Amino acid sequence: MAEGWDDGGGPDEKLVERFLDGKLTGNDVRAATLYSWRRCQEAGLTPSTVQPRLLGDLDFDCGVVRAARPVFERLRTVVEGTPVSMFLGDASGVMFLRNEGEPALRRTLDAVGAAPGFRFAEADMGTNAFGSALVERRICQVIGNEHFAEELRGLTGVGVPIRHPLSGRVNGVISVVGPNDTANAEMMVLARRSAAAVERRLFEMAAEHERALTEEFLRTPDGGVATASTPPDLCRLDRLTLEDAAVRLVAQGRAAVVKTALSDGRTATLVAQPIIGSTAIAVKAWLADGQEARPNGGR
């Protein structure tokens, strides 16, 4: 596995089996690959028994899928008929979208469960670009025999994590896969650009959501004006929750509105506003019952 494209052929055939027999020596495989094989071994996987899990009751309208759908639609004709396919998965390793390449590759992928609705996480399928990129939290290339599962060793894949542009959290993964003999560096370019496009869409969606929250807040009967008293029943945990949310809003350095759930079931709406003539950010939090809390925040 690597962040830059590797044109090497990967390790020798049956090297995973040598690893499992304790006979691996020297620099036979890349360090990241070895670490992944160890995780697979600790999880009780074997090269011949790995299997993706088909899940039900999936949310095909979750945030990362909504962000990725127009990106995948735009690239559908780019991938169609080529020796590569691309996938979108969520942070748990469940596949939601697939742009299909040429028919032979499509049949290969169907046979191993690389399709929407299946969980293709490393814990299920062993070392693979899609699942291992989520574990490593970085770009991964897995070449041929670096795959832990026997049935994946004819493929080369690239996985790129999708990070939410505001929180920095990994929300999903883009993977591009093709046969070993046709794999090339353009696969990594496609994966990187596709992930970046999804991240831009996530940012746009967050901005839209933020505007909606602001409008909702301004539509409140009191016009957003509340008393200055601090609710006496706010527990220490909820105070810390509000303070943490305020610090994150201040760090963004711009106007924002977010909602935060409290331990007693109430919801707090936090509003960050730049102070005119200053670089400071003021943050206030209103509770669902109309009381105002004052988390620490500003700069």
Side-chain angles (χ1 to χ4, degrees), residues 166 205-215 249 252 254-258:
L166 297 183
M205 289 166 53
E208 292 169 4
H209 177 65
E210 187 175 288
R211 283 195 295 271
L213 284 176
T214 301
E215 291 171 1
L249 284 172
Q252 292 180 22
R254 57 185 176 81
V257 178
V258 298

Side-chain angles (χ1 to χ4, degrees), residues 239-252:
R239 290 177 186 273
L240 291 174
T241 297
L242 292 180
E243 289 176 5
D244 179 64
V247 168
R248 284 187 274 113
L249 284 172
V250 169
Q252 292 180 22

Side-chain angles (χ1 to χ4, degrees), residues 21-240:
D21 290 339
K23 298 177 181 178
L24 199 64
T25 60
N27 299 316
D28 291 322
V29 295
R30 291 182 279 184
T33 303
L34 184 59
Y35 295 150
S36 178
W37 289 357
R38 287 172 178 166
R39 291 193 297 267
C40 297
Q41 185 180 39
E42 291 169 358
L45 300 178
T46 65
S48 60
T49 60
V50 296
Q51 186 173 355
R53 286 193 291 155
L54 179 62
L55 304 181
D57 196 27
L58 295 173
D59 182 7
F60 278 81
D61 197 41
C62 62
V64 71
V65 176
R66 283 189 286 115
R69 190 170 284 120
V71 176
F72 268 60
E73 285 299 322
R74 188 167 66 249
L75 293 172
R76 185 175 302 279
T77 56
V78 173
V79 172
E80 187 176 10
T82 71
V84 300
S85 289
M86 61 183 294
F87 304 88
L88 170 91
D90 69 2
S92 71
V94 177
M95 289 186 173
F96 281 92
L97 300 176
R98 183 174 85 174
N99 274 348
E100 300 181 340
E102 59 190 18
L105 177 58
R106 187 186 317 151
R107 290 191 291 271
T108 297
L109 296 171
D110 286 343
V112 299
F118 285 88
R119 199 174 98 115
F120 222 77
E122 188 182 83
D124 300 299
M125 287 300 293
T127 306
N128 71 91
F130 180 95
S132 297
L134 290 171
V135 177
E136 297 280 348
R137 297 291 197 268
R138 63 180 181 84
I139 298 172
C140 287
Q141 178 191 4
V142 179
I143 308 168
N145 293 323
E146 288 181 331
H147 287 93
F148 192 78
E150 293 175 352
E151 58 189 358
L152 298 181
R153 294 179 190 169
L155 302 170
T156 291
V158 178
V160 181
I162 299 168
R163 296 184 182 276
H164 196 285
L166 297 183
S167 69
R169 295 176 180 171
V170 173
N171 278 25
V173 61
I174 293 279
S175 181
V176 176
V177 176
N180 293 332
D181 57 356
T182 58
N184 60 75
E186 289 302 312
M187 293 168 55
M188 183 166 285
V189 173
L190 176 61
R192 284 179 181 269
R193 290 180 176 174
S194 301
V198 175
E199 289 175 347
R200 286 194 296 272
R201 284 274 303 147
L202 284 171
F203 180 81
E204 293 166 1
M205 289 166 53
E208 292 169 4
H209 177 65
E210 187 175 288
R211 283 195 295 271
L213 284 176
T214 301
E215 291 171 1
E216 178 185 342
F217 177 74
L218 293 176
R219 284 197 300 268
T220 58
D222 61 3
V225 178
T227 63
S229 60
T230 301
D233 61 336
L234 204 61
C235 69
R236 182 174 181 274
L237 174 61
D238 286 339
R239 290 177 186 273
L240 291 174

